[in-house]
DNA sequence: GTTGCCAAGTTTTTT
DNA sequence: ACTTGGCAAC
């Protein structure tokens, strides 16, 4: 069925193949001397100037997509469209920030042209809309001060829900239950509908847990990531007045990375897409008493100005519910859609592009579109087989050094200057692969940054500090309260908490409310009562007993953050730990606490209430929320919605390390892709179906097409997995590259020769890993106990040396076998 | 109520 | 390898 989605490309492809055919709808007087349009190709220019009506831009990798989007916004603004009526949705906050910057740069230094321009992510937009309209929309249990639960808190909550339902967490792993619920939410299925659809035992149980989880979230005044989209979509659908207000504001809608939007996002986009005449009818529909209108009219006559940009070959979020059918649905939804394909690549050299193209042709569920460049020359892509992951990391480091500040001999000959560290990046399939790379870069003294924006916020000490802040922002947030109730230890132990929880649920009040009424709770020691009272008093001091007013309350967000970290005892707790242990890790924790405080202060200094997309009228405040509280909420929200990619700062002179997913949308002069092995890329978990395999291939394609000038792809013969060294198989994708534009090398062979020349006794000296690399047989000496994946545990009887070393192994269960070490996945057992 | 040790499972990707 | 959770000792 997705096959049909490619019809659109067919039409668009004709445009690419036979360019120059003037479009009937093309605006007259498109001035080639216009600085906004001058340096664009024909299809790019059309995408920029086709401002009215639905537009689908199929932008191949490196085809100047970002440029088209930013020009388009600038073009709109310059042609008199008020910036506040433009809404651009991106995938990450960083992409949003960059887009805003670039538009601003094009329009001059005066910030006024972009005033009110909304460039943000789906999630941020939805969070803001929900806060803005929570009360008016009367969504069940949703208050404007809701907390956004990150993954860890979702998990903690689900664990509780599963246990409360008298189910075992091993049969109903909170993780997989959450995944099932997430999938449902992405399809816009709420707990009620899920329950109605459930027929078998499994889905009935999930339905029960879904309901319980939702109830628990709401009573904690919390939502999860998926709720942001689900609830916003439901709100826009069921509350015509609210929708009308949004439609009235945003006349021009733009969505980047459209191939990675899922169904809810599509629905939100549809609901927000306004057209000339439809606004009137939608305003009428907003009158009280009108039934929720599920399907807004969107005929050709009534076509909204919605522009989506994407590339099906770069769809890498299928596991998150993103679907190619969104592109199909787009044209169904908006029949007058104009489709434009951008095929010319401006980023990469011919060899890089040739490899990307040859690889992606192996995807069957795909309509081929030509990727072409006018660039000549360029170095072949290097494919490097290494010994171990350490060897691999070292190879990458050496390569970077050769490209480095001094420039490689080859580059100098070719008239190219050496690359700066910031021009280089390492991509990998899973985060776990970063570690070895980091070690190697560190010992080589090469500066690097890891795109793990979320990692900081996942650290224990940071989560504690944030939990205190969330409790301050929302006293109903039980998960946060439970996290900090006895951290640092203050004498409120398990039994006390259990009593409080029982009291809370018996009286249908929040846990914090129960603590406030601690004197009414039975069975507590005087000690416990005292400890609880002091905790409540402490929180009340911060919040001014919930009013955020009075002399006791902090005058600024920074001050609040500082006080919370200090007065909670967190700082003292970690200080004491650092002093007694003297370990570096504990020192780091203290520094991280400081960093939280400064990030709070930083946020405060940059906070601009009128930049809020949900702020429809800059004059009137959204609500009567105390400014300190709304700032705190905004801070917590920004922290909850950071992405890994957000951490990348191109101004830093450092090599960038990131997952292939995080690399989407970026480009680097030199790229190393590591871990091209079966089980890693394609990932073992993605091997179950052709669809999944093709997504892995697209992931590989995305990695390749990030490279501008140089690309090295590596794999390791042995990789340590969960502590066990394992024999690997080279990725099938390596076979799918373009042999005419690749140079394959085996580092293992070379190194063995090198080492032999240098030191005949290579087996001595060097790290254990070197020896393993150089001489596999040395790893399995006679008498060694080994494990084979099929044959089990055995003892090495004899072993031969050399490249295809064989070992005779006496297995405990299956007798003696002769194995070629190169291919047997033997591991050493102690 | 608190601390420390051992066993077990674990992650693929992310807003 | 590394974290997390359960349990026993203090």
């Amino acid at each position: 069925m997705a096959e049909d989605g490619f019809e659109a490309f067919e039409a668009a492809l004709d445009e690419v193949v036979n360019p120059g055919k003037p479009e009937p709808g093309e605006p007259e007087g498109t001035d080639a001397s216009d600085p906004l349009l001058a340096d664009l190709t024909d299809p790019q220019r059309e995408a920029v100037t086709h401002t009215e009506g639905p537009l689908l831009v199929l932008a191949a990798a490196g085809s100047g997509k970002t440029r088209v989007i930013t020009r388009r916004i600038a073009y709109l603004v310059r042609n008199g469209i008020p910036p506040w009526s433009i809404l651009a949705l991106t995938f990450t906050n960083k992409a949003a920030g960059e887009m805003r910057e670039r538009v601003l740069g094009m329009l001059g230094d005066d910030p006024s042209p972009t005033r009110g321009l909304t460039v943000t992510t789906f999630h941020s937009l939805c969070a803001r809309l929900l806060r803005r309209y929570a009360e008016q929309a009367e969504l069940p249990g949703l208050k404007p001060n809701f907390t956004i639960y990150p993954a860890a808190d979702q998990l903690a909550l689900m664990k509780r829900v599963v246990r409360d339902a008298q189910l075992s967490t091993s049969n109903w792993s909170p993780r997989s239950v959450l995944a099932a619920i997430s999938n449902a939410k992405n399809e816009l299925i709420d707990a009620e509908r899920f329950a109605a659809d459930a027929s078998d035992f499994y889905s009935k149980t999930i339905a029960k847990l879904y309901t319980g989880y939702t109830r628990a979230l709401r009573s904690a005044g919390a939502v999860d990531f998926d709720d942001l989209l689900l609830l916003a979509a439901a709100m826009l659908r069921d509350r015509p007045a609210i929708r009308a207000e949004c439609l009235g504001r945003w006349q021009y809608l733009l969505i980047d990375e459209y191939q990675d939007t899922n169904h809810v996002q599509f629905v939100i986009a549809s609901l927000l897409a306004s057209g000339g005449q439809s606004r009137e009818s939608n305003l009428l529909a907003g009158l009280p008493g009108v039934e929720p209108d599920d399907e807004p009219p969107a005929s050709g006559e009534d076509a909204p100005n919605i522009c989506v940009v994407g590339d099906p070959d770069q769809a890498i979020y299928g596991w998150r519910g993103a679907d190619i059918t969104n592109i199909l649905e787009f044209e169904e939804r908006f029949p007058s859609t104009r489709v434009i394909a951008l095929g010319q690549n401006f980023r990469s050299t011919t060899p890089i592009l040739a490899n990307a193209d040859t690889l992606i042709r192996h995807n069957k569920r795909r309509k081929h579109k030509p990727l072409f460049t006018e660039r000549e020359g360029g170095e072949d892509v290097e494919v490097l087989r290494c010994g171990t992951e350490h060897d691999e990391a070292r190879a990458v480091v050496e390569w970077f050094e050769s490209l480095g500040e001094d420039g490689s001999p080859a580059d100098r000959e070719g008239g190219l200057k050496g690359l700066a560290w910031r021009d280089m990046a390492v991509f990998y399939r899973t985060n776990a692969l970063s570690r070895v790379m980091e070690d190697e870069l560190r010992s080589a003294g090469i500066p690097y940054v890891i795109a793990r924006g979320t990692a900081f916020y996942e650290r224990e000490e940071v989560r504690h500090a944030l939990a205190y802040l969330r409790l301050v922002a929302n006293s109903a947030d039980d998960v946060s309260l439970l996290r900090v109730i006895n951290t640092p230890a203050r004498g409120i132990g398990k039994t006390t908490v259990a009593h409080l929880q029982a009291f809370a649920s018996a009286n249908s009040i929040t846990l914090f409310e129960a603590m406030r009424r601690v004197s009414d709770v039975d069975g507590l020691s005087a000690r416990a009562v005292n400890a609880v009272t002091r905790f409540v008093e402490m929180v009340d001091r911060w919040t001014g007993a919930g009013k955020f007013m009075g002399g006791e309350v902090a005058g600024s967000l920074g001050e609040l953050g500082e006080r919370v970290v200090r007065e909670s005892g967190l700082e003292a707790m970690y200080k004491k730990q650092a002093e007694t242990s003297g370990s570096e890790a504990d020192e780091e924790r203290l520094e991280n606490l400081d960093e939280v405080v400064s990030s709070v202060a930083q946020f405060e200094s940059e906070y601009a209430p009128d930049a809020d997309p949900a702020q429809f009228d800059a004059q009137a405040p959204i609500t009567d929320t105390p400014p300190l509280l709304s700032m705190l909420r905004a801070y917590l929200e920004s922290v909850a919605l950071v992405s890994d990619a957000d951490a990348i700062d191109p101004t830093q002179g450092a090599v960038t390390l990131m997952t292939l997913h995080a690399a989407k949308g970026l480009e680097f002069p030199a790229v190393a892709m590591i871990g091209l092995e079966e089980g890693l890329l394609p990932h073992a978990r993605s091997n179950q179906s052709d669809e999944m395999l093709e997504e892995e291939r697209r992931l590989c394609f995305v990695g390749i097409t990030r490279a501008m000038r140089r690309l090295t792809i590596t794999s390791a013969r042995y990789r340590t997995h969960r502590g066990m060294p394992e024999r690997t198989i080279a990725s099938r994708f390596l076979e799918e590259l373009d042999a005419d534009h690749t140079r394959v090398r085996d580092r293992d062979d070379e190194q063995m020769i090198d080492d032999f020349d240098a030191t005949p006794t290579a087996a001595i000296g060097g790290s254990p890993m070197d020896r393993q690399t150089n001489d596999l047989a040395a790893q399995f000496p006679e008498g060694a106990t080994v494990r084979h994946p099929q044959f089990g545990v055995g003892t090495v009887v004899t072993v031969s040396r050399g490249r295809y070393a064989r070992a005779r192994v006496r297995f405990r269960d299956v007798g003696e076998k002769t194995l070629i070490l190169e291919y047997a996945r033997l591991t050493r057992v102690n």
Side-chain angles (χ1 to χ4, degrees):
Chain A
M1 53 136 194
E3 234 22 64
D4 303 333
F6 296 120
E7 294 307 316
F9 316 156
E10 288 270 46
L13 278 179
D14 288 340
E15 288 306 309
V16 179
V17 178
N18 313 310
K21 189 173 62 180
E23 270 310 304
E26 195 168 336
E28 284 295 316
T30 300
D31 188 356
S33 65
D34 184 332
L36 283 181
L37 307 173
D39 53 349
L40 299 180
T41 62
D42 287 347
Q44 284 181 336
R45 188 176 305 126
E46 200 202 333
V48 169
T49 56
H50 188 279
T51 58
E52 309 301 309
L55 175 66
L56 168 62
V57 180
L58 297 168
S63 63
K65 182 191 66 170
T66 312
R67 168 183 256 211
V68 165
I69 296 174
T70 49
R71 294 289 177 99
R72 188 181 157 85
I73 296 173
Y75 185 83
L76 284 168
V77 173
R78 206 201 49 191
N79 285 1
I81 305 298
W84 47 259
S85 71
I86 302 170
L87 170 63
L89 295 171
T90 62
F91 211 69
T92 62
N93 295 302
K94 179 170 163 279
E98 274 172 9
M99 195 169 291
R100 211 177 294 114
E101 294 279 300
R102 285 179 65 163
V103 171
L104 196 68
M106 264 173 246
L107 292 170
D109 293 332
D110 177 11
S112 59
T114 54
R115 201 176 154 76
L117 175 70
T118 312
V119 188
T120 186
T121 63
F122 268 105
H123 290 266
S124 298
L125 175 76
C126 290
R128 298 306 177 84
L129 289 177
L130 288 174
R131 289 203 203 282
R132 167 75 172 81
Y133 292 112
E135 269 154 359
Q136 187 185 339
E138 295 168 334
L139 293 170
L142 192 74
K143 283 157 275 168
N145 67 334
F146 62 81
T147 305
I148 302 168
Y149 273 2
D153 290 337
Q154 285 183 53
L155 207 58
L157 189 65
M158 182 54 84
K159 231 174 247 176
R160 228 170 66 198
V161 170
V162 173
R163 282 203 252 262
D164 287 355
Q166 313 287 329
L167 295 166
S168 103
T169 47
S170 44
N171 288 341
W172 300 91
S173 104
R175 253 196 150 70
S176 58
V177 175
L178 279 172
I181 292 175
S182 176
N183 286 339
K185 287 182 177 175
N186 285 335
E187 290 301 316
L188 215 51
I189 297 167
D190 61 16
E192 211 174 313
R193 207 177 118 207
F194 195 100
D197 293 350
S199 51
D200 55 311
F201 173 71
Y202 174 80
S203 39
K204 277 183 179 163
T205 310
I206 296 286
K208 204 165 75 185
L209 293 172
Y210 191 171
T211 309
Y213 172 70
T214 309
R215 201 177 299 132
L217 273 177
R218 294 301 172 273
S219 77
V223 300
D224 65 18
F225 283 125
D226 299 317
D227 281 336
L228 291 174
L229 302 179
L230 178 74
L231 295 174
M235 179 176 84
L236 290 170
R237 186 192 58 198
D238 300 338
R239 297 284 175 261
I242 294 171
R243 181 162 158 246
E245 217 170 303
C246 295
L247 287 171
R249 169 169 177 179
W250 290 306
Q251 306 288 306
Y252 291 85
L253 187 52
L254 214 151
I255 304 171
D256 192 13
E257 307 285 9
Y258 188 68
Q259 77 282 355
D260 285 325
T261 55
N262 59 30
H263 183 67
V264 203
Q265 291 170 321
F266 170 77
V267 168
I268 292 170
S270 299
L271 290 166
L272 284 177
S274 72
Q277 291 96 322
S278 69
R279 249 177 307 141
E280 288 303 314
S281 53
N282 284 322
L283 284 171
L284 289 176
L287 293 172
V290 175
E291 284 299 301
D293 51 345
D294 200 51
E295 295 292 317
S299 67
E301 298 284 312
D302 185 24
N305 305 319
I306 175 171
C307 167
V308 299
V309 185
D311 178 5
D313 284 339
Q314 295 184 65
I316 54 175
Y317 285 93
W319 49 275
R320 216 169 70 183
D323 199 317
I324 180 83
T325 45
N326 267 4
I327 290 184
L328 172 66
E329 280 181 62
F330 187 82
E331 282 188 285
E332 275 174 8
R333 181 70 185 210
F334 308 109
S336 60
T337 296
R338 173 91 183 97
V339 183
I340 298 173
L342 306 178
Q344 183 174 356
N345 178 292
F346 300 96
R347 177 184 296 149
S348 309
T349 60
T350 302
I352 290 169
L353 222 49
N355 277 289
D357 189 61
T358 314
L359 174 82
I360 202 67
R361 278 170 187 269
H362 287 82
N363 273 3
K364 298 212 174 64
R365 295 167 49 85
R366 163 180 192 268
K367 202 58 116 184
H368 184 70
K369 51 182 192 307
L371 252 183
F372 58 97
T373 178
E374 290 175 355
R375 285 194 180 197
E376 302 278 319
E379 300 231 15
D380 280 352
V381 172
E382 186 148 358
V383 177
L384 202 55
R385 190 102 169 105
C386 309
T388 66
E389 68 268 34
H390 293 95
D391 189 31
E392 176 185 50
R394 211 168 304 127
V396 171
V397 166
E398 282 166 17
W399 184 56
F400 282 166
E401 280 170 337
S402 80
L403 298 170
E405 321 271 23
D406 300 324
S408 72
D411 275 351
R412 275 197 300 271
E413 260 172 52
L416 291 173
K417 271 182 271 166
L419 299 175
W421 300 131
R422 77 169 71 83
D423 296 331
M424 309 174 194
V426 185
F427 302 155
Y428 35 79
R429 176 67 231 266
T430 66
N431 279 305
L433 295 194
S434 74
R435 178 157 236 135
V436 184
M437 206 57 240
E438 282 183 76
D439 291 345
E440 220 46 64
L441 285 165
R442 207 180 302 116
S443 64
I446 298 177
Y448 66 88
V449 283
I450 295 200
R452 286 222 80 192
T454 54
F456 177 74
Y457 299 102
E458 280 162 12
R459 304 192 58 128
E460 175 198 283
E461 66 275 17
V462 176
R463 273 160 61 184
H464 281 138
L466 291 177
Y468 274 109
L469 287 173
R470 293 203 312 214
L471 180 63
V472 167
N474 168 19
S475 69
D477 185 347
D478 287 357
V479 169
S480 293
L481 174 55
L482 285 170
R483 170 173 283 283
V484 298
I485 196 166
N486 203 28
T487 312
R490 51 169 68 86
I492 310 178
K494 264 191 299 217
T495 34
T496 309
V497 171
H499 276 109
L500 289 168
Q501 278 179 313
F503 183 81
S505 62
N507 294 283
S508 325
I509 54 174
T510 66
L511 187 57
F512 191 73
E513 213 40 56
M515 290 177 78
R516 201 183 281 291
R517 290 166 52 184
V518 64
S519 49
D520 300 343
V521 180
D522 294 328
L524 293 181
S525 65
R527 240 178 124 90
V529 172
N530 188 258
V532 169
T533 309
R534 282 182 45 203
F535 183 85
V536 173
E537 280 169 2
M538 175 178 75
V539 176
D540 276 349
R541 265 201 310 282
W542 296 331
T543 65
K547 290 201 279 292
F548 287 87
M549 280 183 276
E552 290 258 289
V553 175
S556 71
L557 193 62
E559 189 193 328
L560 176 67
E562 215 175 310
R563 275 183 55 185
V564 165
V565 167
R566 194 166 352 98
E567 294 170 18
S568 65
L570 267 188
E571 194 181 54
M573 181 178 95
Y574 287 115
K575 202 169 261 173
K576 198 173 145 200
Q577 262 179 40
E579 275 161 13
T580 49
S581 79
S583 81
E584 204 138 311
D586 287 324
E587 287 292 337
E588 214 176 286
R589 286 171 197 275
L590 264 178
E591 283 165 24
N592 286 333
L593 275 187
D594 277 348
E595 185 134 356
V596 173
V597 173
S598 54
S599 89
V600 168
Q602 168 89 5
F603 181 86
E604 181 170 35
S605 69
E606 288 168 359
Y607 181 64
D610 64 332
D612 190 329
Q615 184 89 48
F616 283 68
D617 180 353
Q619 263 63 48
I622 297 173
T623 57
D624 48 7
T625 309
L628 185 66
L629 178 55
S630 58
M631 207 194 300
L632 176 60
R633 281 182 201 162
Y635 169 76
L636 292 171
E637 184 179 299
S638 75
V639 158
L641 298 178
V642 287
S643 70
D644 284 351
D646 294 340
I648 296 304
D649 178 2
T651 61
Q652 288 189 48
V655 171
T656 303
L657 273 55
M658 63 176 115
T659 63
L660 285 162
H661 283 91
K664 188 177 68 161
L666 304 177
E667 61 180 23
F668 296 89
V671 167
M673 283 171 69
I674 64 173
L676 268 276
E677 293 145 32
E678 287 294 309
L680 269 179
L681 184 63
H683 196 272
R685 295 264 211 163
S686 309
N687 254 343
Q688 282 123 18
S689 70
D690 283 357
E691 283 80 28
M692 289 168 119
L693 181 69
E694 296 206 344
E695 181 154 314
E696 295 291 300
R697 193 176 281 114
R698 290 195 293 271
L699 201 47
C700 190
F701 173 84
V702 166
I704 293 172
T705 53
R706 301 307 96 196
M708 300 164 80
R709 269 165 47 188
R710 300 293 303 270
L711 175 64
T712 291
I713 301 177
T714 66
S715 58
R717 219 171 247 105
Y718 284 86
R719 191 176 294 279
T720 312
H721 181 61
R722 296 222 263 260
M724 289 279 162
E726 280 176 7
R727 173 76 233 206
T728 70
I729 299 167
S731 169
R732 70 192 73 182
F733 297 154
L734 294 177
E735 303 296 316
E736 298 174 356
L737 297 174
D738 180 359
D740 293 339
H741 294 284
T742 32
R743 196 169 69 227
V744 182
R745 285 202 301 137
D746 197 315
R747 200 160 186 272
D748 214 8
D749 291 347
E750 287 165 30
Q751 190 149 52
M752 277 164 82
I753 294 161
D754 285 353
D755 284 359
F756 186 77
D757 284 351
T759 46
T761 51
I764 310 166
S767 69
M769 273 304 181
D770 285 332
R771 257 171 280 147
Q772 177 189 322
T773 306
N774 298 339
D775 188 356
L776 201 50
Q779 204 195 344
F780 304 104
E782 278 175 31
T785 309
V786 296
R787 183 195 305 278
H788 185 275
Q790 268 176 297
F791 304 142
V793 177
T795 311
V796 177
V797 185
T798 56
V799 62
S800 68
R801 305 185 74 83
R803 177 76 197 274
Y804 293 100
R806 288 152 202 265
R808 184 117 186 114
V809 180
R810 185 167 51 242
F811 288 102
R812 211 167 47 194
D813 301 327
V814 294
E816 284 194 15
K817 303 256 177 205
T818 301
L819 304 161
I820 299 174
L821 291 180
E822 176 90 10
Y823 303 114
R825 307 174 121 220
L826 277 190
T827 52
R828 187 80 182 264
V829 185
N830 294 326

